[in-house]
């Protein structure tokens, strides 16, 4: 499998970034929900948020890498069976997902640095607080962070359901390309019928 994308499939770097970030986002959402239930005397009361912050910073770095890679690398062709509205909605969904992730992580950063303290990332390095001590910064950023997290999970769920629908119902190559399969080797049934008529 090539590193870079080709007209018919995604390269291994795009695939690795996509699936690792998808798993990390789901894990971070679950961790965030779990942390809300912790009491002050729970052993994870401090360790949970510290882990959440560290993963969040790493995830932000991966998001930057993925965004740069997406812009310098070619994008595989859409499956010929896709309708115009499906192509447009898929493109807009990707923009929304990237925008939500960036906004979510910035809100998380503002929560974590509201008191002026840096974020320690797994003890490897620290990210300094650049904007802090704003009125109710932690509370406002916290509310925004929670709303954005739910929006991201809901939109990602729709995105996943759409991919499954294309794979099992439309039987096109949309999902296969993100699994490293060559779309040219898996034409959609509708495409085959169209070519047969011609």
């Amino acid at each position: 499998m090539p590193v870079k994308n080709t007209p018919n499939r995604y390269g291994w770097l795009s695939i690795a970034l996509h699936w690792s970030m998808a798993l990390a986002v789901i894990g971070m959402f679950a961790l965030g929900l779990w942390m809300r239930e912790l009491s002050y005397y729970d052993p994870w009361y401090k360790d949970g948020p510290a882990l959440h912050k560290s993963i969040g910073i790493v995830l932000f770095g991966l998001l930057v890498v993925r965004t740069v890679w997406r812009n310098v690398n070619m994008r595989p062709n859409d499956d010929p069976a896709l309708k115009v509205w499906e192509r447009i909605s898929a493109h807009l969904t990707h923009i929304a997902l990237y925008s939500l992730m960036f906004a979510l992580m910035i809100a998380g950063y503002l929560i974590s640095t509201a008191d002026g303290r840096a974020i320690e990332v797994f003890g490897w390095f620290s990210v300094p607080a650049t904007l802090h001590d704003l009125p109710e910064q932690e509370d406002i950023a916290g509310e925004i962070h929670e709303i954005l997290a739910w929006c991201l999970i809901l939109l990602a769920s729709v995105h996943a359901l759409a991919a499954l629908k294309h794979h099992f119902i439309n039987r096109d190559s949309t999902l296969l390309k993100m699994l490293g399969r060559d779309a040219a080797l898996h034409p959609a049934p509708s495409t085959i019928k169209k070519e047969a008529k011609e």
Side-chain angles (χ1 to χ4, degrees), residues 49-69:
L51 178 63
H52 193 82
K53 294 173 189 178
S54 293
I55 296 175
I57 295 296
V58 173
L59 195 54
F60 181 80
L62 287 176
L63 180 59
V64 172
V65 171
R66 187 177 177 189
T67 302
V68 171
W69 184 245

Side-chain angles (χ1 to χ4, degrees), residues 23-94:
L23 291 174
V25 166
I26 294 170
M28 286 286 277
F29 183 74
L31 178 59
L33 291 178
W34 177 67
M35 287 191 311
R36 295 183 56 146
E37 305 302 320
L38 298 177
S39 66
Y40 180 78
Y41 298 101
D42 193 291
W44 279 93
Y45 185 77
K46 291 184 178 179
D47 292 340
L51 178 63
H52 193 82
K53 294 173 189 178
S54 293
I55 296 175
I57 295 296
V58 173
L59 195 54
F60 181 80
L62 287 176
L63 180 59
V64 172
V65 171
R66 187 177 177 189
T67 302
V68 171
W69 184 245
R70 179 182 172 88
N71 286 299
V72 301
N73 195 14
M74 75 172 297
R75 182 174 163 278
N77 298 326
D78 291 322
D79 191 285
L82 292 184
K83 300 178 177 63
V84 174
W85 70 266
E86 290 177 315
R87 297 170 195 263
I88 295 173
S89 62
H91 180 65
L92 293 177
T93 298
H94 280 103

Side-chain angles (χ1 to χ4, degrees), residues 108-177:
Y109 169 79
L110 292 175
I111 298 169
S112 303
T113 59
D115 58 1
R117 286 184 293 180
I119 300 173
E120 295 295 328
V121 184
F122 295 118
W124 302 336
F125 61 92
S126 60
V127 178
T130 55
L131 184 63
H132 55 87
D133 296 327
L134 297 176
E136 300 181 19
Q137 177 177 330
E138 186 174 0
D139 293 335
I140 294 173
E143 290 182 15
I144 293 172
H145 189 71
E146 182 178 0
I147 292 169
L148 292 176
W150 279 105
C151 289
L152 178 59
I153 287 297
L154 289 173
L155 186 58
S157 299
V158 171
H159 175 64
L161 288 172
L164 292 174
K165 178 254 186 187
H166 279 284
H167 185 73
F168 291 108
I169 298 177
N170 300 105
R171 298 178 62 191
D172 60 34
S173 63
T174 301
L175 179 59
L176 291 173
K177 286 183 290 187

Side-chain angles (χ1 to χ4, degrees), residues 2 18 66 118 186:
H18 176 274
R66 187 177 177 189
H186 304 277

